[in-house]
């Protein structure tokens, strides 16, 4: 991703957080993580994150999703003695559609990212409105998409080791490469 | 504490959360925990809590403090293989004065609850404004007080086992006794 694109996404995420009444320090705003997953279509498949704390015992983040932006399907595998990341998503504003393994409805409310259909395989739907939350057990495939106005989601979890996440889409690189603008 | 007093504190806490833009479900509002610590002076020494999630791996809560309300000094001791609760306090609105072990200033900004002075022994001061946070290591004595407009604080932590907390004040009972109104 180009540095200018990252900066633009950071500003957009910061504005959404601000209008939801979520206070951040200047340092946090300047370090909002923009994950494009190496797919080159940030507004469709991407995620903006602020990691508040990540210790060897617990982790807390704020996730920002632009309207209809999707975090692609993945699992958190076991690592050593860790059975894999367990995480609770709590919707703070907007609406989020979360998909996990299990019985699927005949049609879902999210729009699977075009040309990426083969990499979305679980469709048990959980709709989260502000104040609603859901806990994802370790080793469960999941993906999520914001509704039409975007979403802010608090993530409470065991220790986060994003670099070990396994994505269904083999093209995905979780850790970003930043390219300077020409 | 009387059930009527609990109900009043729940309503007051819910109103503060609402005006800070923090969404709760009806069930959460009805189950706000009101901790008076058995001291009979809730507005001076007390705390209101919503536990979002508490698993064997992590915990997340929202803490509400009325203006100048104080959570009394305590530690989280080791329990079995657990080295003791580690917790991160993140101020969401208002202002909070947090005190931990360490160098103390000549005067502090909080008002130690009158007649309870012997039970406040650590005075290293951390002032948290919205967006600011601090992580308390296990086994460190701490207490905290809201500023003049109260405070809302997100607590991210390892597993919470409040019933094992050790308070400096031997009069304190962490787990409340509810008395029906006469």
């Amino acid at each position: 991703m180009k540095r200018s694109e990252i900066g633009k996404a950071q500003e957009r995420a910061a504005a959404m957080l601000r209008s939801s009444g979520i206070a951040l320090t200047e340092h946090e705003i300047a370090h909002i993580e923009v994950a494009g997953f190496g797919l080159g279509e940030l507004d469709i498949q991407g995620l903006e994150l602020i990691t508040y704390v990540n210790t060897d015992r617990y982790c807390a983040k704020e996730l920002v999703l632009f309207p209809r932006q999707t975090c692609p399907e993945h699992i958190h595998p076991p690592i050593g003695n860790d059975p894999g990341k367990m995480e609770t998503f709590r919707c703070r504003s907007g609406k989020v559609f979360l998909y996990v393994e299990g019985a699927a409805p005949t049609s879902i409310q999210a729009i699977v990212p075009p040309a990426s259909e083969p990499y979305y395989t679980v469709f048990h739907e959980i709709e989260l409105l502000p104040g609603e939350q859901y806990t994802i057990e370790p080793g469960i495939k999941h993906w999520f998409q914001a509704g039409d106005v975007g979403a802010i989601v608090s993530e409470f979890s065991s220790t986060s080791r994003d670099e070990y996440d396994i994505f269904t889409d083999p093209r995905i690189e979780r850790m970003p490469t930043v390219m300077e603008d020409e």
Side-chain angles (χ1 to χ4, degrees), chain A:
Chain A
M1 227 180 323
K2 284 194 179 172
R3 194 170 294 284
S4 57
E5 193 187 1
I6 295 171
K8 221 176 105 192
Q10 285 175 325
E11 277 175 34
R12 194 177 173 191
M16 284 177 64
L17 289 157
R18 200 160 38 237
S19 73
S20 294
I22 294 177
L24 299 179
T25 62
E26 286 303 315
H27 183 268
E28 286 170 334
I29 292 170
H31 290 83
I32 293 175
E33 181 186 349
V34 177
F37 304 103
L39 295 173
E41 49 174 36
L42 179 68
D43 286 356
I44 298 171
Q45 297 190 79
L47 183 66
E48 293 69 43
L49 309 93
I50 297 107
T51 299
Y52 290 145
V53 58
N54 186 21
T55 77
D56 60 353
R57 303 181 70 186
Y58 59 87
C59 177
K61 301 180 183 181
E62 218 75 78
L63 312 181
V64 181
L65 292 154
F66 301 144
R68 291 289 169 183
Q69 197 181 30
T70 301
C71 177
E73 185 177 294
H74 63 283
I75 64 163
H76 306 291
I79 303 160
N81 290 329
D82 185 320
K85 188 185 178 203
M86 181 178 184
E87 56 192 19
T88 301
F89 286 166
R90 182 177 178 88
C91 182
R92 297 292 197 165
S93 73
K95 186 192 285 188
V96 68
F97 302 110
L98 170 65
Y99 298 91
V100 298
E101 298 175 35
T106 46
S107 74
I108 63 167
Q109 295 185 75
I111 301 151
V112 174
S116 291
E117 289 85 353
Y119 313 119
Y120 288 82
T121 69
V122 302
F123 301 103
H124 183 73
E125 185 174 80
I126 298 128
E127 183 179 329
L128 297 176
L129 290 166
E132 297 178 338
Q133 63 182 43
Y134 185 85
T135 296
I136 303 166
E137 297 290 329
I140 297 290
K141 275 186 195 159
H142 58 284
W143 62 281
F144 47 100
Q145 180 176 98
D148 290 335
V149 299
I152 295 173
V153 176
S154 290
E155 182 191 283
F156 314 125
S157 73
S158 59
T159 304
S160 186
R161 297 179 179 89
D162 294 336
E163 65 278 23
Y164 292 104
D165 291 352
I166 299 170
F167 285 84
T168 306
D169 185 344
R171 300 169 304 175
I172 285 178
E173 299 163 32
R174 174 64 182 86
M175 292 298 137
T177 316
V178 177
M179 281 174 293
E180 300 305 330
D181 292 83
E182 279 154 34

